[in-house]
Each structure stands twice: as C-alpha cells, then as structure tokens.
Amino acid sequence: MTIDQIKQRILDTFTDGYVEVTDLTGTSDHIQVLVVSNKFSGQGRLQRQRMVMDVFQPELKTGEVHALTIRAITPLEKN
C-alpha cells in the first residue's frame, strides 16, 4: 500500500479531513498518520484511534500495515 493509497483511504472515510502520512521505515509497513476531522468531536482518544484503525483492518490483519501510529484531532485542536 503506497502513501498516496493510505492517504486516499483515510480521506474516503474522513471526507472533511486533513491528512498527513509518514512512512517511518521506508517499507510502507510502519506508518504514522495525522488525521484532522470534525468527526472526532466528542470522541475520546481511544475511540478516535479506533475510528482510524477501522479504515485499515484488512491490512492490519494481513500484516501489510504492521504498525500504525495515529494522531487524531479536531480542527480546533490543531490550532
């Protein structure tokens, strides 16, 4: 899965989102994402991370994405 595919997958779910994706190892299996979306409003940190992880369940199960570091915030929290 490429960085662009990861970014697009997140944007397909968080349509109002701003997304940054970083490949931490250069192997596309250790990924760090920053997702900014109003969909996180009223959600706790764990729920926000689950919302993003749900987008990649197939890849996490197969190991295509081995590690996913998530920062999920609202637009107000970004400022």
Side-chain angles (χ1 to χ4, degrees), residues 6 10 21 24 29-33 49 52-56 60 65-70:
I6 291 169
I10 294 170
V21 179
L24 297 174
D29 63 350
H30 288 70
I31 305 299
Q32 176 177 293
V33 297
Q49 291 185 351
V52 176
M53 287 184 71
D54 285 348
V55 174
F56 297 101
L60 288 166
V65 175
H66 177 72
L68 184 61
T69 302
I70 300 167

Side-chain angles (χ1 to χ4, degrees), residues 10-69:
I10 294 170
L11 288 172
D12 287 346
T13 300
F14 299 95
T15 55
D16 70 330
Y18 167 80
V19 177
E20 290 180 10
V21 179
T22 305
D23 183 349
L24 297 174
T25 61
T27 58
S28 299
D29 63 350
H30 288 70
I31 305 299
Q32 176 177 293
V33 297
L34 165 65
V35 184
V36 182
S37 173
N38 284 314
K39 287 186 175 184
F40 299 130
S41 295
Q43 304 296 322
R45 182 178 169 193
L46 206 57
Q47 182 59 33
R48 293 176 183 193
Q49 291 185 351
R50 286 184 182 142
M51 292 167 70
V52 176
M53 287 184 71
D54 285 348
V55 174
F56 297 101
Q57 281 305 318
E59 290 80 11
L60 288 166
K61 283 183 181 176
T62 63
E64 182 176 350
V65 175
H66 177 72
L68 184 61
T69 302

